[in-house]
Amino acid sequence: MLRRLTLTAFASLAALAAAAPVATATSPLLPLPPLPVLQGDWLAQQDTQTRLTVTVSESGNPAANGTFELECGPAGGSHLAAQRACDLLDEAAKSGENPFVPTDRNAMCTMQAGGPAAARVSGTWQGENVDARFSRSNGCEISRWNNLVPVLPSAR
């Protein structure tokens, strides 16, 4: 996406540069304002922004099932608890924890069923790509899900 924005900006500048001799023949050329794509602060902000798509099914709460957008900094999107979810993700980032890391394959997990709830979280968190799947199939997965509430809904 950044490459497309950059190419569009340069194509626009090239078109303006080609039209400049014609325009200056009739009136003086005004200076162009700085492009935000080329400013370092804008790029740094885009790298750390959080934009996630949360898809939930069979949570036991029909209002919580579906696909929701979550944006942080500032909190927004269609997520039902955007501010609380962003606060949780900010706390995880400050403590250096990645809440989207899958359970270790060699982990000893209790064999308990937490219901049919399933979720997928994809997008960008702290500038890193995220594509994580969640279930409640055993004790480890239930704990992983519960640690991400309110990004994920409380399942029944």
Side-chain angles (χ1 to χ4, degrees), residues 24-90:
T24 55
T26 59
S27 66
L29 185 62
L30 297 173
L32 293 174
L35 294 173
V37 171
L38 303 177
Q39 294 176 348
D41 292 343
W42 185 82
L43 289 174
Q45 180 184 7
Q46 295 302 309
D47 288 344
T48 60
Q49 201 164 25
T50 296
R51 291 176 186 247
L52 298 171
T53 301
V54 181
T55 304
V56 180
S57 64
E58 301 184 57
S59 69
N61 179 0
N65 292 338
T67 300
F68 306 95
E69 300 297 324
L70 174 64
E71 295 181 17
C72 298
S78 61
H79 193 277
L80 300 175
Q83 185 62 57
R84 291 184 333 171
C86 289
D87 291 345
L88 177 85
L89 293 174
D90 287 344

Side-chain angles (χ1 to χ4, degrees), residues 86-107:
C86 289
D87 291 345
L88 177 85
L89 293 174
D90 287 344
E91 287 176 25
K94 287 177 186 172
S95 66
E97 297 175 20
N98 183 345
F100 303 107
V101 173
T103 302
D104 184 358
R105 296 180 71 143
N106 296 321

